[in-house]
Amino acid sequence: MNRPAGSLLEWLYGLLALLLWGSSLLAQAPNDACQQGFSALQKNNATAAEPLLRKCLELRPNLIHSYLALCSIYQSQGNPEALYRTAALGLKRFPNEKRFYLTVGNHSGREENYEESVRVFEEAHRRWPDDSLFQEGLANAHLSWGIRLLDQNAEAEAEPHLRIAVKLADRDVEAHLNLGRALHNLNRSTEAVAEFDRVIALDPKAPLAWFHRGMVLQALGDLEPAIADLTREIQLNPDYPPSYLFRGRALMTRGQLEQALVDLNLAVQRMPANPNAVFARGRCHALLKQVKEAEADFRKTVELDPENPEPLNALGRLLWLEGKSEEGQALLQKALEKSQVIRSAKPGEIRFEGATPLRPKDAGTSGKK
């Protein structure tokens, strides 16, 4: 998931120097595997050079030039596994070579081994605190680790990584956005709003920035700015259904039922298997005294989310009021029983809507919402 901290093609910039160094080796050891490997490399015969240079590593493991030459070969061949293995060996023996840190740290990030990626970039950043590549690499490693934990519902564990990412890369929109997500899910809504404010200040067109701030404002009961934010998100991203769901809920809370129903109809049309959308529409129908439609939505919600007592209770109350007391009473009792063991939904439960991940897989880097 990591974005690469600097291009690995920089391995190639030192290849000329290695070849010149190899020329000086010719007179020293004409039959040595190292000399033969560099000789083949000088002739652009990487196929012949590779096994000879690997033999050179065995014979002369303290010779850094062989590691660098092999890394150059594997980079040019597009062989990331061999490049990583060689660089990892080189890093153990030559901890002052920056390119080994970049190679190992970036590869670990792409393989989602964020613990190793953080460890490698932390050491590099400690050694070269003014090198922006290592600061960027460390920020990306913590951000990717935090996003994975966040998508696993481990907000408390994700927050420290996301805070480090924000500290190292204060203008990184993605870092602020995901820290805001974590804070919201930890019920620290005021802090979350501050992070989303920062996102919007950095990039007013950032995907889902207005949505997340609107969602948190709605949870805080600040409905007018919440509706404004969700409206702005819909203008920027009209194909994201959860925006209609949350705006519909906010409008319903304000008593603007007809407008709310328009949004909730769109949400259900685009997310027909989403129990939250169907249930919200059912509640709106009930408030509009559209009993038949409300009953259908409540029954559908129970079908989609049978362990949730809330739609059972709503359906039971509706049936009771409509004179279907026997079925209504049974549903109310069932809702009461389930309420004693039901999960507690987090304020950020929108995560299951599953929009496009924030951080694309690196070709060589959210999450869910």
Side-chain angles (χ1 to χ4, degrees):
M1 239 171 135
N2 270 25
R3 291 172 293 190
S7 172
L8 290 178
L9 288 175
E10 65 181 41
W11 279 112
L12 301 179
Y13 83 79
L15 186 55
L16 178 59
L18 292 171
L19 294 176
L20 292 174
W21 178 88
S23 297
S24 68
L25 196 64
L26 290 171
Q28 299 177 29
N31 296 316
D32 185 83
C34 299
Q35 178 275 319
Q36 294 174 19
F38 275 98
S39 178
L41 200 56
Q42 285 178 319
K43 299 173 184 177
N44 295 321
N45 190 347
T47 302
E50 182 199 355
L52 290 166
L53 291 171
R54 283 195 282 107
K55 182 66 174 177
C56 179
L57 290 188
E58 297 176 11
L59 296 173
R60 303 172 68 177
N62 292 323
L63 190 65
I64 190 173
H65 302 80
S66 302
Y67 295 87
L68 296 174
L70 277 169
C71 284
S72 296
I73 290 172
Y74 294 136
Q75 172 61 29
S76 64
Q77 291 176 343
N79 188 342
E81 293 298 328
L83 174 61
Y84 166 74
R85 289 194 301 269
T86 306
L89 288 172
L91 183 58
K92 291 179 180 179
R93 290 189 174 274
F94 309 102
N96 291 320
E97 173 52 58
K98 290 185 174 184
R99 284 170 287 181
F100 292 146
Y101 289 92
L102 288 172
T103 301
V104 175
N106 283 327
H107 180 89
S108 299
R110 284 192 293 269
E111 294 300 309
E112 300 187 10
N113 184 356
Y114 302 127
E115 185 173 2
E116 180 180 50
S117 186
V118 164
R119 177 179 57 80
V120 169
F121 280 123
E122 273 184 344
E123 175 61 19
H125 186 52
R126 184 189 66 80
R127 286 175 175 269
W128 299 283
D130 296 327
D131 193 316
S132 61
L133 289 178
F134 295 130
Q135 181 167 325
E136 180 188 352
L138 182 57
N140 289 335
H142 276 293
L143 175 56
S144 298
W145 198 350
I147 289 173
R148 183 172 69 182
L149 290 168
L150 185 56
D151 289 341
Q152 293 171 349
N153 300 345
E155 290 84 4
E157 293 82 359
E159 184 197 354
H161 293 289
L162 297 169
R163 285 203 178 277
I164 293 173
V166 164
K167 182 179 180 180
L168 291 168
D170 184 55
R171 298 188 63 81
D172 191 310
V173 168
E174 201 170 337
H176 286 285
L177 184 66
N178 283 282
L179 178 57
R181 289 176 60 207
L183 292 168
H184 176 43
N185 290 338
L186 289 167
N187 293 318
R188 291 156 61 183
S189 299
T190 302
E191 294 176 74
V193 169
E195 292 302 321
F196 297 135
D197 286 346
R198 179 65 172 152
V199 171
I200 291 169
L202 289 168
D203 182 5
K205 294 184 179 180
L208 301 181
W210 298 92
F211 168 76
H212 280 293
R213 192 173 73 173
M215 184 172 64
V216 181
L217 290 170
Q218 182 191 359
L220 289 170
D222 205 351
L223 296 179
E224 186 172 347
I227 292 169
D229 277 0
L230 293 165
T231 299
R232 180 59 176 156
E233 182 65 43
I234 289 169
Q235 291 170 347
L236 293 170
N237 186 12
D239 295 327
Y240 189 62
S243 297
Y244 298 95
L245 169 58
F246 278 86
R247 190 173 70 173
R249 284 175 169 175
L251 289 167
M252 184 166 52
T253 303
R254 291 187 69 183
Q256 297 172 253
L257 301 181
E258 296 290 350
Q259 291 174 260
L261 188 58
V262 173
D263 274 355
L264 296 172
N265 277 330
L266 280 169
V268 173
Q269 289 169 14
R270 299 182 184 188
M271 301 184 295
N274 184 324
N276 295 286
V278 178
F279 182 59
R281 190 177 69 174
R283 289 178 55 231
C284 192
H285 280 309
L287 291 170
L288 287 166
K289 308 302 182 185
Q290 298 170 350
V291 176
K292 182 178 178 181
E293 292 83 354
E295 179 181 343
D297 278 345
F298 290 156
R299 289 190 184 278
K300 182 62 177 179
T301 307
V302 171
E303 178 186 328
L304 292 170
D305 191 7
E307 298 306 311
N308 189 348
E310 193 172 4
L312 283 169
N313 186 66
L315 179 58
R317 287 173 57 84
L318 182 70
L319 293 175
W320 180 275
L321 292 172
E322 290 301 307
K324 303 175 183 178
S325 57
E326 186 175 347
E327 184 182 3
Q329 182 61 43
L331 289 169
L332 290 170
Q333 179 61 35
K334 190 174 182 180
L336 179 62
E337 294 169 357
K338 288 186 179 293
S339 68
Q340 297 174 0
V341 294
I342 190 61
R343 70 208 186 292
S344 176
K346 295 182 180 179
E349 66 180 356
I350 196 65
R351 68 176 72 251
F352 67 77
E353 311 297 355
T356 302
L358 287 169
R359 179 176 293 275
K361 194 79 170 178
D362 182 69
T365 110
S366 287
K368 294 178 282 185
K369 300 293 170 288

